Amino acid sequence: MAERLLQAHEALPAEDQRAFTIGLRPLLNAVWDAALGDQTAFQAIKHALGTYYLSEFCHNDGQDGPGDADEPAAAAVLYAAEAYMHGCVDFAVCVSGRAVEAADELLNEGDIDADDPDEILADELRRQLRDLDLISTCSRQLRHARSGLSVDTAARLNDTLRPLLSRVNDR
């Protein structure tokens, strides 16, 4: 979900892209690497999250602070990194919620032409369920990813999962 949101943000015209969000691409790539068994990616994730925590984008100023980290793609990437770092499903649920919120924002902005707006939101949830089903087909290998996987297994999982989980416009 974070990948789809970030790809959609990267596809925006340059003047509509946020530098903070675009700058999270290396973090999301590290999350992918870590999720697919690369133990060395932990350092990149830890460093990127630490940098975020020390930046002006991590604040408790509400509406008065910079909102870049609350942009859907940025927030989804940060939550995905937190989910990996802490192994906490609550952060993964937040990623899912951000994807639904992004679909809702597109509806509210008129960027999606829909006869039934609720169907657009339901489509997002169905897409997420399909993604979970896909991930479950590789669960035997993925459950060991945190301990590291062989290069061949990681490459096979990357070739199998990443393109399918990264599709932006499937309904």
Side-chain angles (χ1 to χ4, degrees):
M1 290 166 272
E3 180 67 40
R4 285 190 287 111
L5 290 172
L6 188 54
Q7 283 183 17
H9 189 85
E10 290 167 334
L12 292 172
E15 63 272 7
D16 294 334
Q17 295 177 2
R18 293 185 181 188
F20 178 82
T21 302
I22 296 299
L24 292 173
R25 169 49 72 190
L27 174 57
L28 185 55
N29 288 343
V31 170
W32 272 110
D33 292 344
L36 297 174
D38 181 353
Q39 289 183 297
T40 65
F42 177 88
Q43 292 298 324
I45 296 168
K46 176 180 76 168
H47 179 71
L49 283 174
T51 300
Y52 162 68
Y53 283 133
L54 295 172
S55 77
E56 70 276 10
F57 298 108
C58 183
H59 60 83
N60 63 352
D61 297 328
Q63 298 289 333
D64 295 330
D68 292 33
D70 195 42
E71 185 277 323
V77 172
L78 292 167
Y79 283 132
E82 293 286 5
Y84 176 78
M85 284 296 290
H86 303 291
C88 180
V89 72
D90 291 345
F91 289 115
V93 170
C94 290
V95 175
S96 169
R98 292 316 296 244
V100 173
E101 287 174 26
D104 190 47
E105 283 180 22
L106 289 174
L107 283 168
N108 291 331
E109 294 169 1
D111 289 345
I112 296 178
D113 185 29
D115 293 330
D116 182 3
D118 290 336
E119 192 60 29
I120 298 297
L121 300 176
D123 281 346
E124 175 57 35
L125 292 171
R126 279 191 286 275
R127 182 180 5 236
Q128 291 181 25
L129 288 172
R130 282 194 314 262
D131 287 351
L132 289 172
D133 285 342
L134 176 62
I135 291 167
S136 73
T137 65
C138 300
S139 63
R140 187 174 301 182
Q141 297 88 11
L142 288 171
R143 72 176 167 201
H144 302 293
R146 204 159 179 80
S147 301
L149 298 174
S150 72
V151 172
D152 291 342
T153 300
R156 188 173 79 270
L157 288 170
N158 189 49
D159 291 346
T160 302
L161 291 176
R162 193 166 179 174
L164 295 174
L165 296 174
S166 300
R167 296 173 300 199
V168 175
N169 293 321
D170 71 335
R171 288 181 70 183

